Amino acid sequence: MAANVNPTVRRRRLGSELRKLREAKGMTAEEVATRLLVSQSKISRLENGRRSISQRDVRDLCQVYEVQDERVVESLMTMAKESRQRGWWHAFGDIPYSVYIGLEAEAASVRNYESLIIPGLLQTRAYAEAAISGGQPEATPAEVEKRTEVRLKRQVRISDAESPLRFWAVIDESALRRVVGNRAIMREQLDHLAELSTWPHVTVQVLPYEIGAHPGMSGTFSILEFHDDADSSVVYLEGVTSDLYLEKEPDVRLYTVMYEHLRALALSPEQTREKIVQVAKEYAR
């Protein structure tokens, strides 16, 4: 597999192409499932990219949709083969949010809102370890170390000199005030955050306590956008036992408008940097 082939994105793109073929044929997912003697949920999972797609699945679906162009079939078969390859994150074993990591690895930009914690892409090692162990009290030291390494490896997208990830972060002030680990860890973390906020492709804004109620109080979320127009934007909502990915245009638009409201309410990037430095000094005292 070529180094720049992302299996998660390939699977998602392939699912989108298969859905277009089904819709062009005027068939429902239920009708396709009946023809192939499989469950309707399998067809849905194949189309939304949440399930691995085999070349046999592609062949069978192309037959149902009566795809005559062999070049189209061959292209879809190649995508199916690539989608079954393993991303770098698979080397770390079972990672709960591996689908998100795959999308993040290919994203052109991420807009992230965090209410209680510093965003993972902007965390120091010490802060990440403390956050993971505190949030996963049943995790063993080995599991905490593994998840910390994954989080730090994700940060390569931020520091990539050739194609850095464009990252916007709106952070509630409570994330600056909540002591994760200890005061020394928080001082180091906020110094690091202030430094990253000066990078041209990283924008950090803080929502101060003074603004009161705001649209982000329902929970944290991320909006991922991609270079290729064939890959629609995704809203990611992290859950305790499962994650939610929203791809329908009305849903993405709703969260995009919500994010713009949050940015408008937040301190400017310059004011935010001053705020971070101020709180960091408080930890130093």
Side-chain angles (χ1 to χ4, degrees):
M1 181 181 66
N4 62 346
V5 172
N6 184 303
T8 303
V9 173
R10 277 289 189 273
R11 187 166 62 241
R12 181 168 172 259
R13 191 175 300 169
L14 175 56
S16 176
E17 293 300 322
L18 292 173
R19 181 172 58 251
K20 291 177 183 177
L21 289 174
R22 176 178 59 76
E23 292 173 345
K25 191 64 177 175
M27 299 180 70
T28 66
E30 184 178 6
E31 290 171 336
V32 176
T34 300
R35 286 279 300 274
L36 295 179
L37 301 178
V38 299
S39 67
Q40 181 179 343
S41 62
K42 175 179 178 178
I43 301 301
S44 297
R45 290 197 299 273
L46 290 178
E47 290 185 353
N48 64 27
R50 301 293 177 262
R51 177 185 174 122
S52 180
I53 307 178
S54 69
Q55 291 180 296
R56 179 175 179 176
D57 289 331
V58 170
R59 183 200 63 192
D60 292 345
L61 289 168
C62 284
Q63 290 177 350
V64 171
Y65 302 147
E66 298 180 344
V67 180
Q68 302 297 326
D69 192 332
E70 288 299 323
R71 292 173 299 178
V72 172
V73 176
E74 182 62 31
S75 175
L76 295 176
M77 296 278 275
T78 298
M79 291 174 68
K81 181 179 180 181
E82 292 174 344
S83 73
R84 297 177 69 85
Q85 301 296 327
R86 296 169 63 84
W88 64 259
W89 51 93
H90 289 108
F92 290 87
D94 183 26
I95 302 297
Y97 53 100
S98 60
V99 172
Y100 174 80
I101 296 175
L103 294 173
E104 181 186 80
E106 189 75 6
S109 69
V110 173
R111 284 172 283 178
N112 175 233
Y113 165 66
E114 288 289 350
S115 59
L116 298 173
I117 196 169
I118 304 300
L121 291 180
L122 308 180
Q123 293 177 6
T124 63
R125 173 182 286 276
Y127 183 95
E129 288 177 344
I132 293 169
S133 60
Q136 304 282 336
E138 77 288 351
T140 66
E143 290 171 335
V144 171
E145 176 65 18
K146 179 181 73 172
R147 295 195 180 194
T148 301
E149 290 300 328
V150 170
R151 187 162 300 180
L152 296 179
K153 191 169 178 61
R154 286 170 50 207
Q155 295 176 4
V156 171
R157 286 301 322 278
I158 292 288
S159 57
D160 187 342
E162 296 184 3
S163 181
L165 176 71
R166 181 68 177 93
F167 189 67
W168 284 271
V170 175
I171 310 171
D172 194 279
E173 184 176 347
S174 58
L176 307 185
R177 301 290 184 179
R178 182 176 301 278
V179 179
V180 175
N182 55 48
R183 296 176 67 86
I185 288 175
M186 290 303 300
R187 171 65 190 272
E188 178 191 40
Q189 173 61 71
L190 294 190
D191 285 345
H192 181 64
L193 183 61
E195 170 61 26
L196 291 179
S197 71
T198 66
W199 293 11
H201 56 282
V202 176
T203 301
V204 180
Q205 291 181 259
V206 166
L207 281 169
Y209 286 145
E210 291 75 21
I211 67 168
H214 58 76
M217 294 179 69
S218 58
T220 63
F221 63 93
S222 295
I223 306 172
L224 297 91
E225 296 178 311
F226 303 87
H227 293 287
D228 197 319
D229 293 337
D231 300 317
S232 59
S233 299
V234 180
V235 175
Y236 169 69
L237 306 172
E238 184 177 0
V240 176
T241 58
S242 62
D243 299 330
L244 183 62
Y245 299 87
L246 305 178
E247 302 180 43
K248 294 181 179 179
E249 185 176 344
D251 294 331
V252 175
R253 185 167 59 249
L254 175 63
Y255 275 90
T256 299
V257 171
M258 185 188 303
Y259 198 81
E260 291 308 308
H261 278 298
L262 292 172
R263 289 187 62 195
L265 291 169
L267 299 175
S268 70
E270 294 74 21
Q271 293 171 324
T272 289
R273 197 170 302 116
E274 293 174 1
K275 183 77 169 181
I276 294 171
V277 170
Q278 171 201 329
V279 178
K281 289 180 179 178
E282 293 175 14
Y283 283 122
R285 291 198 297 267

